[in-house]
Amino acid sequence: MRVTKCFFSIILFLLICFPVTGLSAPPSQRYENIMVDDTVVALFDKETLRYEKDPYRDELLINVWIKTLSTNGDNSYNLSHYLFRLHNSEILSLDSLDYDATGQLSRKITSSYDPNKWVPILPETVSEQWYISVTEYAKVNAAKLKKEYNERMGINEKNRRNVFSFITDFFDM
């Protein structure tokens, strides 16, 4: 019994003084993988994904930040802020932030909303995979997203169906 206690004390001491490297951290709950052919091509931020009202049309958009990792293996990454149109399958880029391997901001591009800058999402492109992943997540979490939007916008219960009728129609397709 005494040998067992001593053995566990030594193991505990070694683990505290010399942490094991190479163990991966638990997956982040904040980001959702965007996959193409079993490969992660980007991640979208579930905490920033929300509905937004289009300022020029009577429709709701999906607002989300997408993280793309560098392909040169230096731990740099890009965060881009996008809006997605549900019915027209279009994308609008608002912000792009590049971070170097140390996590320092290295470049920032910001655009204001311009209704003329919407771009159609082309088939078989990475942006199509982004659109599919983001809209599928929104579909599964529609009730939560609707509730958050209504609370943020101060919309009462009576008007909720009118605001979200097109989203319901879109997801019922």
Side-chain angles (χ1 to χ4, degrees):
M1 182 64 127
R2 192 168 188 188
V3 172
T4 306
K5 283 184 178 179
C6 182
F7 176 75
F8 284 119
S9 297
I10 292 171
I11 296 295
L12 183 60
F13 171 78
L14 290 173
L15 287 174
I16 292 170
C17 293
F18 306 101
V20 178
T21 60
L23 294 178
S24 61
S28 171
Q29 298 300 315
R30 180 176 189 138
Y31 291 98
E32 185 80 19
N33 291 339
I34 300 173
M35 308 286 289
V36 173
D37 298 329
D38 298 326
T39 302
V40 176
V41 295
L43 306 104
F44 68 88
D45 186 348
K46 297 183 293 188
E47 290 182 21
T48 62
L49 190 142
R50 64 187 194 177
Y51 292 131
E52 287 292 336
K53 173 92 171 68
D54 187 315
Y56 295 95
R57 296 180 180 201
D58 188 24
E59 72 176 296
L60 288 179
L61 311 169
I62 294 178
N63 180 339
V64 67
W65 283 83
I66 294 178
K67 181 178 186 177
T68 53
L69 306 174
S70 172
T71 57
N72 60 13
D74 68 353
N75 291 332
S76 61
Y77 61 95
N78 171 272
L79 286 175
S80 296
H81 182 201
Y82 293 104
L83 294 175
F84 290 104
R85 274 206 171 120
L86 296 173
H87 286 295
N88 296 357
S89 298
E90 293 179 317
I91 187 170
L92 177 67
S93 176
L94 295 176
D95 301 290
S96 181
L97 308 171
D98 291 335
Y99 291 89
D100 64 20
T102 65
Q104 296 296 312
L105 182 65
S106 60
R107 185 175 68 119
K108 178 180 179 180
I109 299 171
T110 301
S111 303
S112 58
Y113 182 94
D114 182 347
N116 298 316
K117 291 188 177 180
W118 283 97
V119 177
I121 296 173
L122 300 174
E124 304 293 323
T125 61
V126 173
S127 60
E128 181 187 46
Q129 253 343 104
W130 295 350
Y131 180 82
I132 291 168
S133 296
V134 167
T135 56
E136 284 178 0
Y137 180 85
K139 185 178 194 176
V140 170
N141 295 281
K144 180 183 116 186
L145 294 170
K146 288 176 191 177
K147 180 180 180 209
E148 186 272 334
Y149 174 83
N150 288 331
E151 288 171 356
R152 196 166 26 95
M153 302 308 287
I155 298 172
N156 64 30
E157 188 69 37
K158 185 178 111 181
N159 294 328
R160 287 186 183 178
R161 173 65 187 139
N162 295 337
V163 171
F164 289 99
S165 61
F166 81 93
I167 290 177
T168 304
D169 296 342
F170 173 78
F171 287 141
D172 288 339
M173 292 179 165

